[in-house]
């Protein structure tokens, strides 16, 4: 019955991932956008996300250390234990596709996390991180300068109207 209830809510909120996250217990601010449904794990109530974040597809938020499974079976005479940790995400961040955020992590405001990263350390405000494990790449100001110097500018209004033609115009005629 529980699986049927979960499936029902997933179907009801399929096109509304922010509402679905709230229904699961994630604490969410305003203006957040999810590309598909992130995986909030088995303790979504341990996750808080500020305002105006964009979280891309197949991101996972891990709030406990499942490695204790091995220890429980290896050391039978010890009392079982498990490590839990909250995940706190500030405001105005972008978290790239397939990023994994581990327990006990805080991500400050105005950060960019590269796709495929595994975040094992808390990230200060205003930084760009990426990799496995994720590490600091540059400041958000350096990232802005890098994009400006790249000289590949997109007219966002044209991009919204006709994405294909605008991308071909910028990228295919270099």
């Amino acid at each position: 019955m529980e699986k049927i209830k979960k499936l029902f809510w997933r179907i009801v909120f399929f096109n509304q991932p922010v509402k679905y996250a709230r229904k699961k217990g994630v604490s969410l601010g305003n203006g957040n956008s999810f590309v598909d449904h992130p995986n909030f794990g088995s303790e979504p109530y341990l996750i808080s996300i500020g305002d105006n974040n964009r979280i891309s597809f197949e991101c996972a938020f891990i709030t406990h250390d499942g490695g204790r499974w091995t220890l429980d079976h290896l050391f039978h005479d010890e009392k079982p234990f498990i490590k839990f940790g909250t995940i706190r995400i500030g405001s105005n961040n972008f978290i790239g596709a397939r990023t994994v955020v581990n327990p006990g992590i805080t991500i400050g405001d105005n950060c960019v996390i590269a796709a495929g990263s595994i975040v094992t350390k808390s990230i200060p405000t205003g930084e760009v991180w990426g990799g496995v494990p994720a590490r600091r790449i540059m400041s958000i100001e350096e990232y802005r300068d890098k994009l400006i110097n790249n000289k590949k500018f997109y007219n966002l209004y044209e991009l919204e109207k006709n994405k294909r033609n605008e991308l071909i115009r910028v990228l295919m005629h270099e």
Side-chain angles (χ1 to χ4, degrees):
M1 185 65 170
E2 189 63 32
K3 283 186 180 184
I4 292 171
K5 273 173 59 173
K6 284 183 181 182
L7 179 61
F8 171 77
W9 286 114
R10 177 96 172 162
I11 291 168
V12 167
F13 290 111
F14 182 76
N15 291 322
Q16 302 173 39
V18 171
K19 285 185 179 180
Y20 183 70
R22 282 192 176 108
K23 171 81 176 140
K24 290 191 70 151
V26 177
S27 173
L28 283 171
N30 297 312
N32 289 295
S33 172
F34 300 150
V35 178
D36 198 14
H37 292 268
N39 184 338
F40 293 114
S42 54
E43 299 87 29
Y45 45 84
L46 294 178
I47 301 168
S48 67
I49 299 173
D51 299 325
N52 302 315
N53 293 285
R54 178 79 183 236
I55 299 174
S56 195
F57 67 92
E58 296 182 9
C59 289
F61 298 87
I62 313 295
T63 55
H64 67 274
D65 180 357
R68 66 97 187 158
W69 179 264
T70 301
L71 298 176
D72 288 351
H73 292 88
L74 186 61
F75 302 102
H76 299 286
D77 53 342
E78 291 182 7
K79 188 174 182 178
F81 62 90
I82 189 166
K83 174 189 169 189
F84 287 95
T86 59
I87 295 174
R88 292 187 171 87
I89 298 172
S91 296
N92 196 43
N93 297 296
F94 173 77
I95 300 177
R98 296 189 174 110
T99 292
V100 175
V101 180
N102 283 326
I105 297 298
T106 297
I107 296 173
D109 299 333
N110 307 313
C111 295
V112 174
I113 314 299
S117 298
I118 298 180
V119 182
T120 60
K121 296 178 184 173
S122 290
I123 298 174
T125 291
E127 294 191 352
V128 177
W129 282 51
V132 178
R135 59 177 173 71
R136 184 183 189 279
I137 296 172
M138 63 184 72
S139 71
I140 199 71
E141 292 83 7
E142 291 168 320
Y143 181 61
R144 177 186 173 273
D145 293 344
K146 181 180 177 180
L147 291 180
I148 288 172
N149 291 330
N150 192 6
K151 302 204 187 310
K152 291 182 184 173
F153 293 100
Y154 306 96
N155 180 327
L156 292 179
Y157 300 106
E158 287 299 317
L159 191 60
E160 287 177 14
K161 283 194 280 183
N162 193 340
K163 185 177 183 179
R164 180 179 180 175
N165 287 344
E166 182 64 6
L167 290 175
I168 288 171
R169 180 189 71 80
V170 173
L171 299 173
M172 300 302 282
H173 304 308
E174 295 178 332

